[in-house]
Amino acid sequence: MGEVLAEVRNLRDAFRQSEIKADSSRAAVHQRMDQLVDRVGTLEGNVAAVKEDVSEMRPTVDDVKRWKLMGLGAIGVIGIGGMAMGVTFADAIRRIGAVIVGR
C-alpha cells in the first residue's frame, strides 16, 4: 500500500510540475500577445498619420504634375516657334544672298 501511495504522490508531483510549466508557458504566450497588440496599435496609429499626410500632399503633387505638363507644352511651343523663326531667317538670308549674287 505504501508503494501505491508513493506512486500517487509522484504522479501528483509530476502533474503539479507539468501544470507549473504549462502556466509559465501560457504566461509567456500572453505576454508576447500583449506586446503584439501594442505593436499593432502603434502601427495602426502610424498608418493613420501617413494617410493624413498623403491626403494633405495630394493637392501639391497634382499642382506640380500640372506645372510639369504646362512646362512641357511651353517648351514644345517655343521649339515650334524657334523652328519657324529659323526657317524664316534661313529663307531671308537665302533671298538676300540671291539679290547680292544677282540671280
Side-chain angles (χ1 to χ4, degrees):
M1 189 72 164
E3 286 183 31
V4 173
L5 284 175
E7 284 298 318
V8 168
R9 284 185 188 135
N10 288 340
L11 287 173
R12 233 180 16 206
D13 289 342
F15 183 69
R16 195 172 293 136
Q17 288 175 354
S18 175
E19 279 185 0
I20 291 170
K21 283 184 180 179
D23 287 345
S24 66
S25 175
R26 278 193 296 274
V29 167
H30 285 288
Q31 183 181 13
R32 290 197 323 237
M33 185 67 78
D34 290 341
Q35 290 173 350
L36 185 61
V37 166
D38 290 342
R39 290 175 66 190
V40 168
T42 302
L43 184 62
E44 285 177 345
N46 290 342
V47 167
V50 168
K51 278 185 176 181
E52 186 177 326
D53 288 347
V54 167
S55 66
E56 289 176 4
M57 287 187 278
R58 177 52 83 193
T60 304
V61 171
D62 291 341
D63 286 343
V64 169
K65 284 182 181 178
R66 186 173 48 88
W67 295 341
K68 180 181 174 185
L69 290 174
M70 289 171 44
L72 290 175
I75 288 173
V77 168
I78 290 170
I80 291 172
M83 186 177 62
M85 285 180 56
V87 168
T88 302
F89 186 68
D91 188 51
I93 289 176
R94 184 182 59 84
R95 288 185 183 193
I96 291 172
V99 168
I100 290 175
V101 172
R103 287 186 176 178

